[in-house]
């Protein structure tokens, strides 16, 4: 067992309240005598029981992503269900970095077996591995989702706080980014200006950088950007197996400013599908990732 | 089992009729699918004296269909002078609708289930169905389910002005978001099909179609409609120079490597076609001509969603299978009718059949199917010149090829039609 202190939550906190709290801490951090930057991660995990998917939201999510409406939970939908628990860790008083303005770098998820839409789930979230990044400080937020004590979903989300370093600011980065060769597209997504609002309406993630040009500008973005998890959800829709477990991961390169057309390349290689997306006009890479079918779902025989 | 198997008898193509095809939002902009298919049927009925007859079935379809047209073909039949006791049903398989309708009908004749039938198709992009937005539809559906004033008000409160924007049907593939032309652009580039080769094929299509009109080939295959007596897309005076001036219309993301233009791609078109088939006994009994046998047909589909195959390459697979089943080689044909969805589709398909690697890896063949005699390809023009009202193309091709084979008096013809969703239908006809 972990040496983390378990904080058992009574109910899922509202993301709106969490963002309000995050906005408050961001403000306080900017004031003289504000909270120390860098530092260490809280040695705590937040735990919530009795999470059940809202069927109407599930259908709305599947429609939004262009996926088939099924009674099993898409992996990104599970992420959305447990995101308030993860976020509650990141707005703790002793969390060393400001949540708002934090950059979402990547996700790695083990979707261990098909999860019923009616399943009663528990979620445990904690932060780990605070480390240096050339542009600031990065850390992982881990969430483990279980049904009846059996793990069914494990996710690692990696975030970056720009311009804040855990130790002294490192020298200029030696590595140069490899030039991006545009692959042959196999799909094209036309993302409307309201894409961020549509995702927020379904999964409740009302982070202002996704909602409108004005709210995004307030946080230093030139326009609203698509949720990383929206892009992940689109990539996974129709590409994940629905009768067995799978692993998937996505890395984000540059933000998708809305509205936008994203060209996407999918390639199937045996049990794996790799994908990448880039700006149809800009040619800039937005994301890349993969989906790997698990040969046999652990626990499927139980 | 074997003693219950009935002998399979030939299905004979007796003749066909279509209305001239018209470019979208032109001559037929006020005509509905029902109007056009009825016109094609009326002409066919008049030509072969079918008035009052109860046929075995009328099988046809449309790709773009209004929801009110749930029984489109039956409604058309009721509007003709065929016996009202003629059953009819709608088929839909994207651009292969006509081929599937005709092929399935031929199978019923072969099995002795029916003695006669009409197969065909119709499409209009001028009178296309326009649906309300998903937002408005959801509000309207909830409103119709609401039982109390409160529930009704709640449903109405969810209406947003943006929901007034209607949904028009598109030619995009739902799973990829790419238009059919943009999909073909990927395949065209993968097979290194040049702009010049595509323009040459397009020019040949116009010249061949014009020559066919010149020698009155279509006189007994067509009935004028709405003042139109020739396909309005045909440009007999086109030239390679004119075609070379056109800017790329698809695959524009390829920049300087884009080769597909409005000239070497089919335009949106309105039109209808119908083909009369029957058993030999039926044709003899009614003193009707027998142009060709509908020998066999085969459908295929490819894995295009993640790009393993090109969207419109299914016929390449279907041809390999139908040749094997009929113990024929690709060179055993006197005419090849390869539907020109895009010039690039035809040229990529021909290149694939010649490619040893493709034939081995994709078709599972030891040797490539090989090249065809290009002088036998689309000899009376095809969709680039005539236009392509999606479901009507199969009937146009079957009727024309049957007539060509009958004129020649011997030999075989191969039909290949690609379709949205990575599908395709191919068929073999034999002269009589």
């Amino acid at each position: 067992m972990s040496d983390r202190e378990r904080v058992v939550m009574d109910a899922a906190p509202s993301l709106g309240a969490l963002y309000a709290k995050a906005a408050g801490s961001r403000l306080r951090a900017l004031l003289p005598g504000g909270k120390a930057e860098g530092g260490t991660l809280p040695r705590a995990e937040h735990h919530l029981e009795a999470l059940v998917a809202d069927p109407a939201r599930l259908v709305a999510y599947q429609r939004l992503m262009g996926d088939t409406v099924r009674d099993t939970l898409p992996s990104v939908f599970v992420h959305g269900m447990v995101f308030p628990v993860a976020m509650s860790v990141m707005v703790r008083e002793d969390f060393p970095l400001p949540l708002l303005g934090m950059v979402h770098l990547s996700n790695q998820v083990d979707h261990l077996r098909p999860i019923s839409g009616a399943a009663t789930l528990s979620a445990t979230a904690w932060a780990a591995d605070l480390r240096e990044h050339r542009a600031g400080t990065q850390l992982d937020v881990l969430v483990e989702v279980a049904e009846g004590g059996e793990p069914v979903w494990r996710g690692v989300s990696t975030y970056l706080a720009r311009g804040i370093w855990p130790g002294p600011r490192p020298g200029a980065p030696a590595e140069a980014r490899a030039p991006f060769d545009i692959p042959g597209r196999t799909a094209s997504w036309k993302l409307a200006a309201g894409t961020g609002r549509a995702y927020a309406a379904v999964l409740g993630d009302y982070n202002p950088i996704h909602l409108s040009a004005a709210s995004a500008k307030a946080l230093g973005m030139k326009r609203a950007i698509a949720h990383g998890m929206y892009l992940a959800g689109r990539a996974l829709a129709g590409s994940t197996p629905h009768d067995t477990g799978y692993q998937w991961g996505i890395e984000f390169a540059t933000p998708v400013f809305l509205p936008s057309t994203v060209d996407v390349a999918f390639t199937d290689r045996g049990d794996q599908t790799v994908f990448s997306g880039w700006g149809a006009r800009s040619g800039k890479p937005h994301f890349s990732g993969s989906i790997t079918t698990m040969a046999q779902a652990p626990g499927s025989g139980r | 089992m074997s003693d219950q198997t009935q002998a399979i008898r030939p299905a004979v193509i007796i003749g066909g009729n279509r209305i001239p095809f018209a470019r979208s939002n032109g001559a037929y902009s006020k005509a509905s699918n029902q109007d056009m298919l009825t016109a094609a049927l009326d002409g066919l009925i008049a030509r072969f004296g079918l008035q009052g007859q109860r046929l075995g079935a009328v099988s046809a379809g449309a790709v773009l269909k209004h929801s009110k047209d749930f029984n489109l073909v039956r409604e058309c039949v009721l509007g003709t002078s065929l016996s009202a006791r003629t059953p009819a049903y709608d088929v839909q398989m994207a651009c292969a609708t006509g081929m599937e309708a005709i092929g399935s009908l031929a199978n019923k004749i072969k099995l002795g289930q029916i003695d006669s039938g009409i197969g065909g198709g119709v499409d209009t992009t001028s009178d296309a169905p326009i649906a309300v937005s998903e937002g408005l539809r959801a509000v309207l559906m909830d409103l119709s389910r609401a039982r109390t004033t409160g529930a009704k008000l709640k449903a109405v409160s969810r209406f947003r002005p943006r929901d007034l924007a209607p949904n028009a049907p598109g030619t995009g593939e739902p799973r990829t978001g790419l238009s059919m032309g943009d999909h073909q652009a990927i395949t065209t580039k993968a097979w290194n099909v040049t702009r010049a080769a595509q323009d040459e094929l397009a020019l040949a299509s116009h010249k061949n179609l014009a020559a066919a009109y010149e020698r009155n080939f279509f006189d007994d295959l067509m009935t004028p409609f709405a003042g139109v007596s020739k396909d309005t897309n045909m440009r007999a005076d086109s030239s390679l120079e004119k075609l070379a001036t056109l800017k790329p219309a698809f695959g524009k993301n390829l920049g300087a490597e884009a080769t597909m233009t409005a000239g070497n791609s089919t335009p949106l078109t309105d039109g209808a076609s119908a083909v009369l088939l029957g058993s030999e006994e039926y044709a003899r009994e009614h003193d009707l001509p027998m142009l060709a046998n509908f020998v066999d047909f085969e459908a295929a589909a490819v894995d295009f969603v993640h790009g393993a195959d090109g969207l419109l390459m299914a016929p390449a697979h279907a041809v390999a299978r139908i040749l094997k089943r009929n113990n024929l080689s690709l060179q055993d044909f006197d005419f090849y009718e390869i539907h020109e969805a895009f010039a690039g589709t035809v040229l990529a398909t021909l290149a694939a059949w010649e490619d040893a690697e493709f034939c081995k890896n994709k078709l599972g063949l030891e040797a490539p199917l090989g090249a065809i005699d290009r002088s036998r390809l689309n000899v009376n023009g095809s969709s680039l010149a005539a236009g392509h009202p999606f479901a009507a193309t199969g009937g146009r091709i079957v009727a024309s090829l049957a007539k060509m084979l009958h004129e020649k008096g011997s030999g075989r013809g191969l039909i290949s039609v690609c379709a949205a969703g990575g599908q395709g239908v191919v068929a073999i006809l034999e002269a009589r």
Side-chain angles (χ1 to χ4, degrees):
Chain A
M1 293 300 285
S2 75
D3 58 351
R4 295 181 293 269
E5 173 210 348
R6 174 167 280 202
V7 177
V8 177
M9 307 168 79
D10 297 333
S14 109
L15 286 170
L18 291 173
Y19 278 121
K21 189 173 174 191
S25 6
R26 177 179 164 91
L27 208 60
R28 278 200 308 281
L30 296 173
L31 295 173
K35 113 172 142 182
E37 290 172 341
T40 56
L41 291 170
R43 297 174 79 81
E45 60 183 31
H46 287 196
H47 181 81
L48 180 64
E49 291 280 342
L51 266 165
V52 180
D54 171 359
R57 270 181 202 276
L58 175 58
V59 171
Y61 172 87
Q62 287 157 330
R63 295 264 185 253
L64 179 69
M65 296 300 171
D67 208 349
T68 305
V69 170
R70 281 198 167 89
D71 285 338
T72 48
L73 301 180
S75 214
V76 171
F77 187 83
V78 176
H79 180 278
M81 282 175 72
V82 301
F83 187 57
V85 185
M87 210 171 133
S88 70
V89 174
M90 296 165 80
V91 296
R92 282 171 62 102
E93 287 297 329
D94 56 353
F95 191 79
L97 296 163
L99 172 74
L100 283 194
M102 215 177 245
V103 181
H104 187 176
L105 292 180
S106 66
N107 289 85
Q108 286 295 328
V109 173
D110 292 345
H111 193 107
L112 298 166
R113 63 159 170 81
I115 307 168
S116 161
T120 301
L121 304 171
S122 67
T124 310
W126 66 98
D129 205 7
L130 193 74
R131 58 202 186 272
E132 189 179 289
H133 181 278
R134 60 186 160 71
T137 302
Q138 65 176 326
L139 77 148
D140 296 335
V141 176
L142 296 91
V143 183
E144 187 167 288
V145 179
E147 181 181 7
E150 175 206 349
V152 292
W153 190 102
R154 285 194 200 98
V156 182
S157 302
T158 303
Y159 297 94
L160 165 71
R162 273 186 196 284
I164 301 167
W165 282 272
R169 183 178 177 153
E175 43 159 340
R177 261 195 204 178
F180 175 66
D181 289 326
I182 295 179
R185 69 177 176 182
T186 62
S188 189
W189 302 342
K190 287 171 186 66
L191 308 187
T195 300
R197 292 190 292 278
Y199 181 86
V202 172
L203 281 177
D205 184 359
Y206 286 97
N207 187 330
I209 59 172
H210 303 304
L211 301 183
S212 68
S215 61
K217 271 179 190 151
L219 287 164
M221 293 284 176
K222 63 179 178 186
R223 293 207 309 274
I225 64 172
H227 289 81
M229 297 316 284
Y230 170 83
L231 301 171
R234 284 291 300 265
L236 265 54
S239 295
T240 53
H242 52 83
D243 47 4
T244 183
Y246 52 95
Q247 296 169 311
W248 62 273
I250 188 167
E251 284 185 44
F252 300 101
T254 63
V256 174
F257 291 101
L258 298 170
S260 183
T261 299
V262 177
D263 277 352
V264 189
F266 287 91
T267 310
D268 294 335
R269 296 177 185 155
D271 285 344
Q272 190 174 59
T273 297
V274 297
F275 57 85
S276 61
W278 61 95
R281 274 171 180 276
S282 69
K284 279 187 188 171
H286 289 319
F287 58 84
S288 60
S290 67
I291 302 158
T292 308
T293 300
M294 290 177 181
Q296 197 147 37
S300 61
R302 285 182 205 175
Chain B
M1 183 72 198
S2 61
D3 52 346
Q4 288 180 16
T5 307
Q6 293 173 321
I8 293 195
R9 60 179 183 173
V12 179
I13 297 158
I14 293 166
N17 187 57
R18 68 177 176 100
I19 59 172
F21 294 168
R23 285 172 67 96
S24 181
N25 296 315
Y28 302 164
S29 56
K30 299 295 177 194
S32 69
N33 276 335
Q34 191 175 325
D35 299 334
M36 291 191 291
L37 184 56
T38 304
L41 291 171
D42 280 346
L44 191 72
I45 292 160
R47 183 162 303 134
F48 296 106
L50 308 177
Q51 294 87 345
Q53 274 194 39
R54 178 177 67 82
L55 300 184
V58 178
S59 162
V63 174
L64 296 179
K65 206 161 79 166
H66 294 265
S67 53
K68 66 180 161 61
D69 287 343
F70 59 90
N71 228 346
L72 172 67
V73 185
R74 173 63 181 154
E75 288 300 325
C76 292
V77 166
L78 286 173
T80 68
S81 55
L82 286 174
S83 162
R85 297 191 172 84
T86 298
Y89 55 93
D90 285 29
V91 174
Q92 200 197 61
M93 194 182 178
C95 306
T97 298
M99 290 305 301
E100 176 59 35
I102 294 165
S104 304
L105 210 53
N107 279 356
K108 292 181 183 185
I109 292 169
K110 286 186 193 181
L111 284 176
Q113 293 169 332
I114 57 174
D115 295 321
S116 62
I118 296 174
V122 58
D123 254 296
T124 170
T125 46
S126 307
D127 185 41
I130 289 189
V132 299
S133 70
E134 278 298 298
L136 179 53
R137 202 173 65 84
V139 169
L140 293 173
M141 296 305 289
D142 283 346
L143 192 59
S144 76
R145 283 186 281 260
R147 288 285 166 269
T148 64
T149 307
K152 283 176 187 169
L153 284 173
K154 194 181 165 200
V156 170
S157 73
R158 290 187 10 244
F159 174 77
R160 298 286 175 273
R162 65 163 182 268
D163 292 336
L164 284 174
N167 266 352
T171 59
E173 279 294 330
R175 283 174 192 275
T176 65
L178 290 172
S179 70
M180 188 178 276
D182 283 338
H183 266 290
Q184 178 58 46
I186 298 169
T187 310
T188 303
K189 180 165 183 274
W191 286 99
N192 296 313
V193 178
T194 64
R195 166 78 185 265
Q198 292 172 64
D199 286 354
E200 279 164 24
L201 190 86
L203 182 67
S205 189
H206 285 280
K207 298 288 182 203
N208 288 346
L209 185 71
Y213 273 105
E214 197 64 29
R215 65 184 182 93
N216 299 319
F217 177 76
F218 294 111
D219 278 9
D220 57 357
L221 290 172
M222 203 178 278
T223 326
F225 181 67
V228 179
S229 56
K230 276 184 187 174
D231 305 315
T232 67
N233 184 58
M234 184 174 73
R235 298 283 176 271
D237 60 346
S238 189
S239 67
L240 288 178
E241 292 72 32
K242 280 183 195 167
L243 287 166
T245 61
L246 299 172
K247 289 198 168 61
F250 300 108
K252 287 193 260 190
N253 63 313
L254 300 171
E257 291 181 79
T259 56
M260 292 173 54
T261 68
N264 57 41
S265 309
T266 46
L268 292 176
T269 327
D270 308 333
S273 67
V275 178
L276 177 64
L277 295 99
S279 64
E280 291 173 326
E281 299 75 26
Y282 170 85
R284 288 198 187 102
E285 192 183 318
H286 292 84
D287 197 19
L288 294 171
M290 293 187 265
L291 304 183
N293 285 347
F294 193 98
V295 177
D296 197 4
F297 79 124
E298 171 80 9
V302 292
D303 182 12
F304 72 96
V305 177
H306 287 175
D309 297 307
L311 177 72
L312 301 181
M313 292 301 279
H317 296 247
V319 162
R321 299 207 289 255
I322 202 171
L323 290 176
K324 188 176 179 203
R325 184 161 68 224
N326 288 273
N327 202 20
L328 292 169
S329 81
L330 184 59
Q331 290 70 35
D332 288 338
F333 295 88
D334 300 87
F335 300 107
Y336 301 87
E337 285 290 330
I338 305 180
H339 159 52
E340 297 166 339
F342 305 90
T345 314
V346 179
L347 294 166
T349 302
L350 294 178
W353 286 332
E354 292 180 36
D355 188 78
E357 202 179 322
F358 178 90
C359 288
K360 182 166 182 278
N361 297 337
K362 297 279 186 179
L363 307 183
L365 302 174
E366 285 173 14
L369 292 175
I372 64 161
D373 178 351
R374 287 282 293 272
S375 70
R376 300 176 176 187
L377 173 66
N378 299 344
V379 297
N380 287 320
S382 182
S383 303
L384 284 169
H388 170 41
F390 312 124
T393 288
R396 171 186 72 74
I397 295 177
V398 170
S400 292
L401 178 59
K403 180 174 173 180
M404 281 146 60
L405 287 165
H406 187 63
E407 279 183 343
K408 186 170 186 295
S410 66
R412 284 181 209 94
L414 180 68
I415 298 172
S416 160
V417 176
C418 58
Q423 305 211 86
V425 171
V426 303
I428 295 174
L429 269 52
E430 208 165 53
R432 298 190 58 116

